Amino acid sequence: MTLRDRLLGGPDRVVGLDVARGLAVLGMFAAHVGSTDGAASWLEIADGRSSVLFALVAGVSLAVVTGGPRPLAGDALVRSRTRLLVRAVMLLAVVALLDLLGTRVLLILGFYAAYFVLALPFLGWGPRRLAALAALVAVVGPPLAYWGPEVLARVELHLPDDGSGAVTDFVLTGHYPAVVWMAYVLAGMAVGRCDLTAARLPERLLVGGLAATAVGYAAAGMIVGSLVIDVPGDVIAGPPGQLPGDVLVDAQVDATTSVPGAVHAWSDPWPTPWYLAQAGPHDDTFFEVLGSGGFALAVLGACLFARGVGAWVLSPLAAAGSMALTVYSAQVVAIWHWDLVGSPTNGPLVVMVLVTLVGATAWRLTLGRGPLERLVGWVSDRAVSPPPTPVVRG
């Protein structure tokens, strides 16, 4: 194997996809341990958007490993689904170990496992159907995630507070609810069903993504900025009055799900619907899906331009992206060991980024796949029987 193949993963590897995944992982570094004081306030761009980019790229990868532009079918698709199901189980095992460390990081790997399982029925779909389903989830999902827990609580159903409610948490009540986040995964799958080496694809993703970003954030800003809402006095701990739209979060009505043990009737006040006009990080609204999802598409499009000399220059990022599970897990361990969350400076962030880029590049050059990627791949391959050898009759 040549030096280029070792550094970039071989001739069949899409370098831009690895670069985008690497950016997503390093963006999560910034979101977890970065300080946004003063001149470093630009790091706020990573808040929420890095995990969205990670979900989008995960969707692209799902499509790539199941045939890319030519979706697998028949026995090949069944074996691929089995591998992905095993990978989801392995992700749950990894995140269970990381959760034992008790870091102040909202671990996303368990949700990714749920996304993989939910994506299984759609692995045979083409790009148009996947894009249409992504759009449907983007519209329907946010109201479900916002009011769904309220409905469950008001019919006196128990909301999850331990591992027994993991499925409900992954799908509806958690920090990355699948009813919303599957929009990013499905959009990524739609991209992965295209030819990632096509000359025009990066440009279309970049331009289309930037347009969606502008529309999503601008529309939310216009709606929220124009609102003046009547708020009951018991919500704002004072006399009844009016609040401008930019403090909508503070104006949300306290409902059953935000008061442990409380029981509200159907006729009691519900959380304000105007919350769904916002587009901030982790608001999980349609406008955030449009804005942050568009931003992720634009970043992916820019990364897919990485060819030739650009691929060499960005190879450290691609190396980190090629072993994202290992890098993400190592980050959590480092945060736990040195208690890095809330650092007043960006020194720890700089060190983590440099160590990751150098270490991932050296590992890829000498050993190839990342250690956790190798383990997960080995287990999933062993779980699937090889295709039968054709019998040649003489």
Side-chain angles (χ1 to χ4, degrees):
M1 182 178 289
T2 66
L3 174 63
R4 185 187 187 282
D5 287 341
R6 291 201 306 271
L7 190 60
L8 300 179
D12 296 329
R13 191 86 181 185
V14 181
V15 177
L17 191 58
D18 283 336
V19 171
R21 195 183 296 108
L23 281 175
V25 175
L26 297 187
M28 284 189 275
F29 285 15
H32 295 157
V33 306
S35 172
T36 57
D37 293 337
S41 60
W42 62 272
L43 287 175
E44 292 180 355
I45 196 172
D47 189 14
R49 297 182 182 89
S50 55
S51 49
V52 168
L53 176 59
F54 205 26
L56 180 86
V57 174
V60 180
S61 299
L62 285 175
V64 169
V65 300
T66 55
R70 297 178 180 83
L72 299 177
D75 291 341
L77 180 58
V78 172
R79 288 192 296 271
S80 185
R81 282 175 171 155
T82 303
R83 286 191 184 93
L84 290 173
L85 189 58
V86 173
R87 286 173 182 267
V89 174
M90 293 293 290
L91 282 180
L92 289 174
V94 171
V95 77
L97 293 175
L98 294 177
D99 188 56
L100 293 174
L101 302 179
T103 59
R104 290 175 289 165
V105 172
L106 293 167
L107 302 174
I108 198 172
L109 295 181
F111 290 88
Y112 275 27
Y115 304 158
F116 285 1
V117 174
L118 291 172
L120 294 180
F122 311 110
L123 294 179
W125 285 23
R128 292 185 179 179
R129 293 177 70 188
L130 288 167
L133 183 57
L136 178 63
V137 173
V139 173
V140 176
L144 290 176
Y146 185 50
W147 281 307
E150 295 293 334
V151 172
L152 294 178
R154 290 172 193 239
V155 296
E156 300 184 24
L157 292 177
H158 178 75
L159 296 180
D161 55 18
D162 58 28
S164 299
V167 173
T168 304
D169 194 59
F170 289 153
V171 173
L172 184 65
T173 62
H175 198 67
Y176 308 96
V179 291
V180 177
W181 282 67
M182 280 302 293
Y184 306 124
V185 176
L186 291 164
M189 290 174 64
V191 173
R193 285 285 175 249
C194 303
D195 181 3
L196 296 181
T197 63
R200 296 295 302 276
L201 181 63
E203 177 185 338
R204 290 171 177 170
L205 291 176
L206 181 60
V207 173
L210 290 177
T213 300
V215 171
Y217 290 146
M222 291 174 61
I223 295 172
V224 172
S226 66
L227 292 176
V228 177
I229 304 169
D230 292 319
V231 181
D234 58 346
V235 175
I236 56 177
Q242 291 184 325
L243 289 178
D246 59 0
V247 289
L248 275 175
V249 174
D250 297 328
Q252 290 183 66
V253 176
D254 276 339
T256 307
T257 54
S258 60
V259 182
V263 177
H264 284 193
W266 287 96
S267 58
D268 286 340
W270 288 68
T272 170
W274 296 114
Y275 173 88
L276 294 172
Q278 298 187 118
H282 299 295
D283 281 340
D284 291 330
T285 65
F286 168 76
F287 294 106
E288 193 211 352
V289 172
L290 187 60
S292 295
F295 181 81
L297 284 170
V299 171
L300 175 60
C303 291
L304 289 176
F305 279 110
R307 297 166 183 168
V309 176
W312 282 92
V313 172
L314 296 175
S315 59
L317 265 177
S322 71
M323 54 189 77
L325 177 59
T326 297
V327 169
Y328 179 92
S329 302
Q331 166 225 196
V332 175
V333 174
I335 290 173
W336 164 73
H337 188 270
W338 286 288
D339 192 20
L340 299 178
V341 174
S343 172
T345 71
N346 281 314
L349 174 61
V350 173
V351 171
M352 287 177 63
V353 170
L354 291 178
V355 169
T356 297
L357 294 178
V358 173
T361 303
W363 184 284
R364 197 179 201 189
L365 272 173
T366 57
L367 298 172
R369 297 179 72 184
L372 286 181
E373 286 73 19
R374 193 184 297 269
L375 174 63
V376 171
W378 182 84
V379 173
S380 60
D381 287 342
R382 292 298 181 279
V384 179
S385 300
T389 303
V391 177
V392 179
R393 301 184 183 276

